[in-house]
Amino acid sequence: MTRMDGSVRSSYDSVMHEMKLKDREERSRLVIWRQPFRTLYYFIIELSIKIRQLIIRLMRRKTSALVLALCLFAIILYYNEGPHTEYLRKWNKVIAWCAYWVGLGILSSVGLGTGLHTFLLYLGPHIAGVTLAAFECMSVDFPEPPYPDQIVCPEQMEDTMTIWTIISKVRLEAFMWGAGTALGELPPYFMARAATLSGIDPDDEDYEEAAQMFEADSPDDDSISTRVKIGMKKLVQKVGFFGILLCASIPNPLFDLAGITCGHFLVPFWTFFGATLIGKAVIKMHIQKLFIVMTFSKHHVEMLVDWLGYIPALGRHLQAPFKEFLQKQKANFHHKVGTQLPASESWLAWFFEKLIIVMVLYFVISIVNSMAQTYMARKQKAIRDLKMQK
């Protein structure tokens, strides 16, 4: 009887696996450039489901009512003039600045739909701009406003400028961006944790691959990637907090696996999130900041631009726009507060602006496709359950 039950179970799992593969292949074809109307329709339905679920969860939790009440109280105070107005508006600017970088950090975890991190698009250029300005102005006491929207050299300059002074200047935004990336690592953790507690595996390729690796003592695939994944799994399991901290403190494109591993083996939330936050927002961010600041220090930038001139045939043509761009940036740092900047724009700035627009558009499209496919997965699961019941 046991053998029969085992064979029936094996047959059931095989059928379910084949059905999931077919459904996944069908879902992959549901994209806005192939099926625009159906994709948008499914996206709207899934969006309404998510909003309804969020409202229900907020209403069930007592803390949500307290947070909403505090937010309402803060809004009333903000729009009613009084002695508190100046302080509230000052903190409002700081909170908006922090929220901006946290949001970009969260988006970096999903790679803007292309695997391109917001560090390369936003935080890195911001730190590079502050670095160039600090060495040109010999100060980081940029007038506010217009900083952080624009950088203007102060009237009083210092004798020396150190790397640590610049790192301190960008510490807040760098920490907030790192905290955002740590928050972006939570979905894989919660997905794997929920799957372990409920006993129901989600229809997710990354989780299925990780689960097979957890069960297999010696996987058939002997590639470098598989070895790294197995090593990360063992490190997280055996070392715990410090293993997660190590994985989070270095550039690690496979860190999602650490989240899945911690969720699968029910590692406590604060052990996982605490180590991830310290690793990404403190240790790793200081390494990245140090690299950017050293690369874009005055001496190194001038040396790199000079090196461009040695490239055969193309050297002088590449060198000219970079020199022009640096000269314009230096001139902009010395313009007076309140005066209008020159309207001229270099091809580097034009290219960077258009690149950001393309990345954001692609990211929005990827969200629409993903949510439409999520709703389709709901329908497919309901159909599978009906078929298996019959």
Side-chain angles (χ1 to χ4, degrees):
M1 185 69 180
T2 306
R3 290 181 180 175
M4 182 63 70
D5 291 342
S7 63
V8 170
R9 179 65 185 176
S10 177
S11 176
Y12 174 83
D13 291 341
S14 177
V15 171
M16 285 296 293
H17 182 67
E18 289 180 6
M19 291 176 69
K20 283 184 177 181
L21 288 177
K22 289 181 180 178
D23 289 344
R24 192 174 294 160
E25 185 180 350
E26 184 182 356
R27 282 203 306 275
S28 67
R29 293 193 292 268
L30 183 68
V31 288
I32 200 164
W33 51 86
R34 287 184 177 178
Q35 306 177 51
F37 297 108
R38 189 184 183 192
T39 303
L40 288 173
Y41 177 67
Y42 281 7
F43 164 73
I44 293 170
I45 297 176
E46 181 63 22
L47 181 63
S48 64
I49 292 172
K50 296 289 187 187
I51 293 172
R52 186 171 68 249
Q53 289 176 345
L54 178 62
I55 293 172
I56 292 171
R57 288 176 183 174
L58 290 175
M59 291 178 65
R60 286 177 179 174
R61 297 187 178 182
K62 296 179 181 178
T63 53
S64 301
L66 178 62
V67 170
L68 288 173
L70 289 173
C71 291
L72 182 62
F73 180 67
I75 291 170
I76 293 171
L77 283 178
Y78 182 79
Y79 285 102
N80 284 275
E81 298 291 335
H84 59 277
T85 305
E86 182 181 351
Y87 299 100
L88 277 179
R89 287 180 180 170
K90 181 180 178 181
W91 279 105
N92 176 61
K93 185 178 179 181
V94 174
I95 292 171
W97 181 241
C98 293
Y100 172 76
W101 289 110
V102 169
L104 286 176
I106 293 172
L107 293 179
S108 186
S109 295
V110 297
L112 281 178
T114 62
L116 188 61
H117 289 263
T118 53
F119 182 88
L120 298 176
L121 293 175
Y122 293 96
L123 184 58
H126 171 71
I127 297 173
V130 171
T131 304
L132 291 172
F135 281 103
E136 176 65 21
C137 304
M138 292 303 291
S139 174
V140 292
D141 296 326
F142 311 127
E144 293 188 49
Y147 182 80
D149 298 324
Q150 295 175 4
I151 297 177
V152 178
C153 291
E155 295 181 0
Q156 189 173 2
M157 298 186 181
E158 299 175 7
D159 296 330
T160 59
M161 177 55 55
T162 65
I163 288 174
W164 305 113
T165 302
I166 302 171
I167 286 176
S168 298
K169 180 67 175 178
V170 296
R171 182 173 290 135
L172 176 63
E173 46 266 49
F175 176 83
M176 289 300 163
W177 184 87
T181 62
L183 289 171
E185 300 295 348
L186 292 180
Y189 169 83
F190 284 122
M191 177 192 65
R193 185 180 178 86
T196 301
L197 292 174
S198 65
I200 301 173
D201 294 342
D203 188 11
D204 185 88
E205 292 183 23
D206 292 334
Y207 179 79
E208 287 182 3
E209 182 182 348
Q212 290 174 3
M213 188 183 68
F214 296 150
E215 294 172 2
D217 296 329
S218 55
D220 297 332
D221 187 4
D222 195 32
S223 63
I224 296 175
S225 175
T226 303
R227 290 179 182 178
V228 171
K229 291 178 181 179
I230 293 173
M232 190 185 302
K233 170 204 156 189
K234 291 179 179 178
L235 183 67
V236 169
Q237 276 185 281
K238 293 180 179 179
V239 187
F241 179 89
F242 292 101
I244 303 167
L245 181 65
L246 178 62
C247 292
S249 300
I250 58 176
N252 187 358
L254 300 175
F255 189 78
D256 280 355
L257 181 65
I260 293 174
T261 303
C262 292
H264 183 81
F265 292 104
L266 302 180
V267 172
F269 170 77
W270 286 111
T271 300
F272 169 71
F273 184 66
T276 304
L277 182 64
I278 295 171
K280 286 183 172 289
V282 180
I283 301 174
K284 185 173 141 184
M285 275 316 306
H286 273 83
I287 296 172
Q288 291 175 309
K289 280 190 295 182
L290 184 62
F291 174 77
I292 294 292
V293 172
M294 289 183 67
T295 302
F296 285 89
S297 62
K298 185 176 182 180
H299 173 70
H300 289 152
V301 168
E302 291 175 353
M303 183 175 64
L304 288 171
V305 173
D306 288 339
W307 282 356
L308 285 175
Y310 295 109
I311 299 175
L314 298 175
R316 293 186 178 276
H317 298 287
L318 288 174
Q319 191 182 49
F322 279 96
K323 279 188 174 181
E324 182 185 356
F325 175 76
L326 288 174
Q327 288 172 357
K328 286 182 180 178
Q329 285 295 103
K330 290 178 180 180
N332 291 340
F333 294 148
H334 294 284
H335 84 281
K336 299 293 184 182
V337 177
T339 59
Q340 192 173 3
L341 287 171
S344 59
E345 186 180 36
S346 68
W347 70 268
L348 282 175
W350 180 89
F351 176 77
F352 185 72
E353 180 185 350
K354 298 303 180 284
L355 176 65
I356 291 176
I357 292 172
V358 171
M359 290 297 101
V360 171
L361 285 175
Y362 193 93
F363 176 62
V364 171
I365 291 172
S366 69
I367 289 178
V368 172
N369 290 339
S370 177
M371 292 186 69
Q373 290 171 6
T374 301
Y375 178 72
M376 190 174 186
R378 293 177 188 271
K379 293 182 65 176
Q380 289 173 337
K381 185 177 182 303
I383 294 171
R384 285 200 308 266
D385 292 342
L386 285 173
K387 287 182 177 179
M388 297 312 296
Q389 287 176 4
K390 294 179 180 180

